[in-house]
């Protein structure tokens, strides 16, 4: 029996199988590399999301501290505002409820500036460390409303029936 024709018929088959296996291995290698690259991007994005969440929470704390009642009161006093007196309310029918009262609080006067003994206030020079005259804030000049002596009679709803 001649051995030549049987080995010649096997060669293309073996070559095809080797090429298919090699192509499959290369494809798996490329797929694995792609998945690893996506995993690295995912971990970077998670880290960045964590940092941004921390920054957002810090900024929210700052905003909340600015809207705290004590901080609002302090800023209002610095602007020269004082707590109001007794309020009066105007009803939908034009009646005045309550007697308005004048505010009894004194206007805000800022504390005197304290000199900086260490000179750490910056390069502003000696003029910045000396206390200046305390600025006076003008008191509010809104006239105090007086209660009206005339009474307004409320409008009576009509009693027409829908029949």
């Amino acid at each position: 029996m001649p051995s030549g024709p049987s080995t010649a018929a096997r060669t293309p088959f073996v070559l095809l199988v080797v090429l298919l296996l090699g192509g499959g291995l290369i494809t798996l290698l490329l797929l694995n590399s792609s998945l690893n690259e996506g995993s690295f991007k995912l971990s970077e994005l998670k880290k960045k999301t964590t940092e941004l969440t921390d920054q957002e929470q810090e900024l929210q704390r700052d905003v909340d501290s600015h809207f705290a009642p004590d901080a609002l009161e302090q800023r209002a006093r610095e602007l020269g505002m004082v707590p109001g007196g007794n309020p009066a309310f105007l009803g939908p029918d034009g009646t005045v409820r309550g007697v308005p009262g004048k505010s009894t609080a004194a206007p805000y006067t800022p504390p005197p500036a304290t000199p900086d003994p260490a000179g750490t206030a910056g390069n502003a020079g000696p003029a910045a460390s000396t206390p200046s005259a305390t600025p006076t804030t003008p008191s509010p000049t809104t006239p105090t409303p007086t209660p009206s002596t005339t009474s307004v009679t409320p409008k009576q709803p009509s009693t027409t029936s829908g029949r």
Side-chain angles (χ1 to χ4, degrees):
M1 290 240 244
S3 65
S6 65
T7 57
R10 283 188 198 169
T11 306
F13 177 72
V14 171
L15 198 57
L16 178 67
V17 169
V18 168
L19 286 175
L20 287 176
L21 288 175
L25 287 175
I26 290 174
T27 304
L28 285 175
L29 179 65
L30 292 175
L31 183 63
N32 192 15
S33 298
S34 175
L35 288 175
N36 283 339
E37 183 180 341
S39 175
F40 286 129
K41 283 183 182 179
L42 181 64
S43 63
E44 280 182 30
L45 290 175
K46 282 183 179 179
K47 183 178 178 183
K48 188 172 183 177
T49 300
T50 303
E51 290 173 1
L52 290 175
T53 301
D54 291 344
Q55 183 181 6
E56 178 190 17
Q57 289 174 353
E58 181 180 340
L59 291 173
Q60 187 62 44
R61 278 192 303 270
D62 289 346
V63 167
D64 290 343
S65 70
H66 284 260
F67 286 107
D70 294 340
L72 286 175
E73 180 184 10
Q74 180 66 27
R75 286 198 312 262
R77 288 197 180 272
E78 288 173 358
L79 291 173
M81 298 176 156
V82 294
N86 293 334
F89 299 97
L90 184 61
D93 56 357
T95 59
V96 177
R97 294 182 186 164
V99 178
K102 187 175 182 181
S103 174
T104 58
Y108 173 74
T109 55
T114 57
D116 189 14
T120 58
N123 296 332
S129 65
T130 59
S132 61
T134 305
T136 59
T137 57
S139 62
T141 58
T142 58
T144 305
T146 57
S148 175
T149 57
T150 61
S151 65
V152 178
T153 47
K155 201 182 216 184
Q156 297 295 330
S158 63
T159 58
T160 60
S161 63
R163 294 186 199 185

